[in-house]
Amino acid sequence: MSDMNAYSGRRFDPVKMTAEDVDITDISHALSLICRGGGHLKHFYSVAQHCLNCKKEAKARGLSERVQLACLIHDGSEAYISDIIRPVKIYLDNYVEIEDRILAKVFAHFGLADLSEEEGRLWKGIDDDILLYEQKYLMVGREHIELPKLASTPDVNERGWREVEAEFNEELRISSADI
């Protein structure tokens, strides 16, 4: 059986999922429980908190609502297939293909299937900038990293997953309503 049981109670094959299979509750819940960096951080810091920081950075830079929403949901595929650290992900060609396919469905669900190349470059750049900040402040031995200029100050404090889930869910509802 290749169906997954999503938090919302939905059952579907994540490799064959459609935009209709995407659920806000599944994304906010799952991402708030997945630790960034494979858990090799000074404290628990979720994928959802990372995505919130990305959205806040996009907003602080004055970027469009569409790019802000893309920043918030750019790791949405991980709600369905979890997170794999970048140094390993590059060797898993099939994983990257599956991740891209699921992310396309997540973007389509939220009306972002037509993101331009420039909009894609913007959210990916913010993702990379926030990653560097996380490495500097959350990873042992990475304190020396030089950071790019950020328009916001990411919140890398240890927070409870329920609090992050609620904030992510609210931001997702607000952002998706604005598009």
Side-chain angles (χ1 to χ4, degrees):
M1 180 181 309
S2 58
D3 284 359
M4 72 175 288
N5 294 309
Y7 178 71
S8 63
R10 295 171 184 241
R11 290 181 51 93
F12 55 88
D13 182 343
V15 177
K16 297 177 184 171
M17 72 186 287
T18 67
E20 291 75 32
D21 293 323
V22 175
D23 187 280
I24 290 172
T25 304
D26 291 334
I27 293 173
S28 60
H29 183 74
L31 294 186
S32 68
L33 289 169
I34 299 171
C35 190
R36 291 273 290 166
H40 296 278
L41 305 175
K42 293 177 181 176
H43 60 260
F44 181 77
Y45 173 81
S46 70
V47 174
Q49 192 170 347
H50 161 77
C51 292
L52 285 165
N53 282 328
C54 289
K55 180 187 186 279
K56 289 172 186 173
E57 179 63 19
K59 184 174 185 175
R61 291 182 187 186
L63 299 177
S64 72
E65 296 285 337
R66 286 170 52 84
V67 173
Q68 290 178 45
L69 178 56
C71 282
L72 186 62
I73 64 172
H74 77 275
D75 283 331
S77 61
E78 295 175 13
Y80 301 101
I81 58 172
S82 201
D83 187 19
I84 294 180
I85 59 173
R86 283 187 185 191
V88 173
K89 193 183 291 189
I90 61 173
Y91 295 104
L92 304 175
D93 295 334
N94 195 38
Y95 177 88
V96 172
E97 175 189 323
I98 292 167
E99 180 182 48
D100 288 347
R101 192 175 331 132
I102 293 172
L103 184 57
K105 301 303 181 192
V106 171
F107 278 177
H109 178 84
F110 291 101
L112 298 179
D114 62 342
L115 280 176
S116 70
E117 193 173 304
E118 174 64 13
E119 289 170 318
R121 187 188 63 73
L122 288 168
W123 75 254
K124 289 173 186 173
I126 289 172
D127 184 31
D128 289 342
D129 289 350
I130 299 298
L131 171 63
L132 289 172
Y133 190 92
E134 293 163 353
Q135 287 177 339
K136 183 175 184 76
Y137 293 103
L138 294 172
M139 292 184 166
V140 175
R142 303 291 286 171
E143 298 82 5
H144 66 281
I145 290 177
E146 289 190 40
L147 296 175
K149 183 166 174 43
L150 296 175
S152 67
T153 302
D155 175 10
V156 294
N157 292 310
E158 187 170 9
R159 296 176 61 196
W161 69 268
R162 285 182 178 91
E163 174 191 354
V164 173
E165 177 184 15
E167 182 181 348
F168 187 94
N169 200 30
E170 183 62 21
E171 286 294 324
L172 190 52
R173 288 187 196 286
I174 292 167
S175 294
S176 58
D178 290 341
I179 297 299

